[in-house]
Amino acid sequence: MNEKVKALYDKLIQGVEDVFLSERYLEFLKFSLNFRNYSFENTILIFLQNPNATYVAGYKTWEKLGRHIRKGEKGIAIFAPLFKKSKEIDKETGEEVELSKLNGFRIVYVFDISQTEGKDIPSIVTHLSGDNSIELYNKLLELSPVPVSFDNLPVGKNGYYDLITQEIVISNKLTGNQRTKTLLHEVVHSFVEKETLKDDNDRRRAEIIAEGTTFVVANYFDLDTSDYSFGYLAGWSENPKEIIKWGSEIQKTANFIIDKLNKIEIKLVS
């Protein structure tokens, strides 16, 4: 890793601390909805350099779209992989094949659409319209990989996922958006928890991933859980540097669930 790349990565680590030790955590998660095709690390870098960015691309891409970078605009630095080609003998066929292996990273620059001018382009991000909480709730019932039931749970306990019995239980006292949000949180647990949590660190990691993913997915479908999620996450977070890894899992899990939900069609009866 060259010095320039190392300096940028160090800036990334510092930025993560700043983001996850404040309300900027939720601000970043909402921001990341616009950058689902970027790595967690590059999304952080874009956020740190231009928190108002909505769609970024390189110079040549903007040219192809009929837009050009305004004079004097400063690029947003991100990481791009470097690949090295090599030739090896395939063990099965005995033939020589050309392989491309990751050989480090370099810095490239992208620009937000606000830094460009030219042809209009289609809307970049679309959200579901209508009563999304009801539609999302029904989609989650269909998506859940385990049965969902409702019970008279103790006050303060909204729901839980039981790994042993393979079921989700939601408090029958919940209605509306809180019921949808709770179901989403437990559905996330059912996808990411494959074995019993060993200790408090495991539990903390699981809860941060589950609620972070819940926030991203819910906001994608226009259900804002900010007031609830921030307090929940603040209660579980300890070491912000660990969230570099957890943040990547949040992004990956959220993308997986969003893609699954988008494929489910629900017919609502009026």
Side-chain angles (χ1 to χ4, degrees):
M1 185 180 290
N2 66 41
E3 288 302 312
K4 193 172 181 181
V5 172
K6 183 179 183 303
L8 189 58
Y9 188 77
D10 289 343
K11 181 180 178 180
L12 169 65
I13 297 297
Q14 182 60 52
V16 168
E17 291 193 30
D18 294 341
V19 168
F20 290 104
L21 285 177
S22 71
E23 291 187 13
R24 295 189 78 204
Y25 180 40
L26 293 185
E27 185 185 343
F28 167 72
L29 289 179
K30 186 178 292 186
F31 174 88
S32 70
L33 291 174
N34 293 333
F35 301 94
R36 293 178 57 213
N37 293 326
Y38 284 82
S39 69
F40 176 73
E41 289 80 4
N42 276 340
T43 304
I44 280 278
L45 288 173
I46 295 168
F47 177 71
L48 292 175
Q49 296 168 80
N50 187 348
N52 296 315
T54 56
Y55 180 66
V56 300
Y59 182 86
K60 290 183 178 179
T61 299
W62 282 124
E63 281 194 331
K64 290 179 182 178
L65 291 170
R67 298 182 69 84
H68 62 272
I69 312 301
R70 291 194 185 96
K71 188 176 180 179
E73 291 288 351
K74 185 179 179 182
I76 300 167
I78 63 172
F79 292 121
L82 284 172
F83 293 96
K84 183 178 181 180
K85 291 183 178 180
S86 62
K87 293 184 178 180
E88 295 184 9
I89 302 298
D90 189 298
K91 293 180 181 179
E92 294 184 2
T93 64
E95 297 179 356
E96 188 178 65
V97 294
E98 188 173 80
L99 301 176
S100 184
K101 294 183 178 180
L102 182 64
N103 192 41
F105 294 88
R106 64 189 176 96
I107 294 174
V108 298
Y109 293 89
V110 293
F111 298 83
D112 182 56
I113 187 172
S114 63
Q115 299 174 285
T116 71
E117 55 190 11
K119 282 185 179 180
D120 289 337
I121 61 175
S123 177
I124 302 303
V125 180
T126 58
H127 297 278
L128 298 179
S129 59
D131 194 343
N132 289 318
S133 181
I134 295 173
E135 185 169 355
L136 178 57
Y137 174 76
N138 283 284
K139 284 188 174 189
L140 287 166
L141 288 175
E142 186 167 332
L143 176 67
S144 178
V146 299
V148 177
S149 62
F150 300 85
D151 201 356
N152 187 27
L153 300 182
V155 175
K157 191 172 184 63
N158 291 334
Y160 63 88
Y161 164 61
D162 192 316
L163 179 65
I164 305 301
T165 61
Q166 288 286 288
E167 66 174 336
I168 289 172
V169 179
I170 304 295
S171 170
N172 56 19
K173 302 181 185 71
L174 301 183
T175 59
N177 289 345
Q178 183 60 52
R179 182 178 64 174
T180 301
K181 181 261 157 209
T182 300
L183 176 59
L184 174 54
H185 180 98
E186 302 309 334
V187 167
V188 174
H189 274 301
S190 70
F191 275 111
V192 300
E193 285 183 33
K194 303 302 180 185
E195 56 185 35
T196 304
L197 302 177
K198 303 181 188 70
D199 51 32
D200 288 342
N201 185 61
D202 259 8
R203 179 74 191 280
R204 188 172 71 253
R205 173 181 172 276
E207 292 300 332
I208 290 175
I209 290 172
E211 190 62 24
T213 299
T214 295
F215 179 84
V216 173
V217 175
N219 274 270
Y220 180 87
F221 291 106
D222 290 338
L223 174 58
D224 189 357
T225 66
S226 301
D227 292 341
Y228 185 98
S229 293
F230 179 68
Y232 193 98
L233 289 163
W236 284 102
S237 300
E238 280 191 5
N239 183 353
K241 289 187 178 180
E242 292 178 334
I243 305 179
I244 277 279
K245 177 180 178 182
W246 298 347
S248 182
E249 290 185 55
I250 287 171
Q251 188 179 54
K252 181 177 68 175
T253 306
N255 283 338
F256 169 79
I257 291 177
I258 287 170
D259 289 340
K260 291 284 189 183
L261 289 169
N262 276 332
K263 292 176 182 177
I264 297 175
E265 293 186 6
I266 297 293
K267 293 183 178 179
L268 298 177
V269 179
S270 57

